[in-house]
Amino acid sequence: EGGACGSALLREVAAAAVDVGGPDLHVFSAHYPTMLCALTAVGVSVSSGESADSWLGEALLPTGSALAFEVVPPEAAGAAAASAAVRLLYWDGSEWRLIPVPCSRSEARLASCPLDAFVRHVEVSLPDGAAWCRACDNDSLARCRLAAFEAMTTQECAADAAASAAVAVICLLSILLFGACLVIGWLIRSAKAPRQGRAVVSRMTFPGSG
């Protein structure tokens, strides 16, 4: 559930990264489990299969440690960079360490990710806020209560829509059945009714005939 519990924070980081008119520095205060969740959400964890992540299982993150998502302008991201990039750094209490991250679930890790690729990875690959609430078993935050209400409302609307559709189908079938009965009744009555009409017999008389 690490990706789910870290997705809410990472979504806020991504929103801040593309907020051009916003402040240059956004600070989030968190305990080490939330930091580990954020790392897992971005693709860095002890279960990633990368030997470079083994340090995460050696000890708890020390007091005062920090994660920094840095937005690097194109001119500083490299000569071939066409847009701004995001890179992840970790402060272990004594020095900053660059952590290569995957720009998507299928790509290799890079020292930095293009900003649009990072935001797309967060928006498309990670669970939404409702998943975070479920993973953290949190029903006290306003956003979690709202997500639960929206989910309940959506389910009720879907149930109402299904019930309405069923009623409409039943009504339509009833109308078709009634119409079919009318047609069959008319055909039966037409078959049993005596034929009314006038028989015309032509008699031709020839010379010499009686």
Side-chain angles (χ1 to χ4, degrees):
E1 297 287 355
C5 73
S7 60
L9 176 58
L10 205 59
R11 285 178 182 275
E12 293 191 29
V13 170
V18 296
D19 186 10
V20 179
D24 294 333
L25 178 65
H26 295 260
V27 179
F28 302 91
S29 178
H31 295 289
Y32 76 89
T34 305
M35 296 174 64
L36 291 175
C37 284
L39 286 171
T40 302
V42 84
V44 179
S45 70
V46 290
S47 60
S48 66
E50 296 284 342
S51 58
D53 296 342
S54 60
W55 62 276
L56 288 169
E58 296 173 356
L60 297 179
L61 303 183
T63 303
S65 57
L67 295 174
F69 291 87
E70 182 182 22
V71 179
V72 183
E75 57 272 16
S83 63
V86 176
R87 64 178 184 176
L88 174 60
L89 298 103
Y90 167 65
W91 173 258
D92 61 5
S94 59
E95 62 179 354
W96 285 103
R97 180 192 309 176
L98 178 65
I99 301 179
V101 295
C103 298
S104 72
R105 293 188 182 277
S106 60
E107 292 184 7
R109 297 188 177 193
L110 301 174
S112 63
C113 288
L115 179 57
D116 56 347
F118 173 77
V119 173
R120 185 167 57 251
H121 170 57
V122 171
E123 291 179 345
V124 175
S125 302
L126 296 181
D128 57 13
W132 178 88
C133 295
R134 291 191 299 269
C136 298
D137 194 21
N138 191 321
D139 58 2
S140 59
L141 287 180
R143 70 174 66 178
C144 293
R145 293 197 298 269
L146 178 61
F149 175 76
E150 289 177 344
M152 180 178 63
T153 303
T154 300
Q155 292 174 355
E156 290 179 350
C157 290
D160 291 343
S164 299
V167 171
V169 170
I170 293 174
C171 291
L172 179 60
L173 291 176
S174 299
I175 293 173
L176 293 176
L177 181 60
F178 179 72
C181 290
L182 289 178
V183 172
I184 293 174
W186 180 82
L187 292 175
I188 293 175
R189 288 187 60 187
S190 298
K192 291 183 177 180
R195 297 182 178 275
Q196 297 180 357
R198 184 177 57 179
V200 178
V201 179
S202 298
R203 182 176 181 181
M204 299 182 66
T205 303
F206 296 92
S209 62

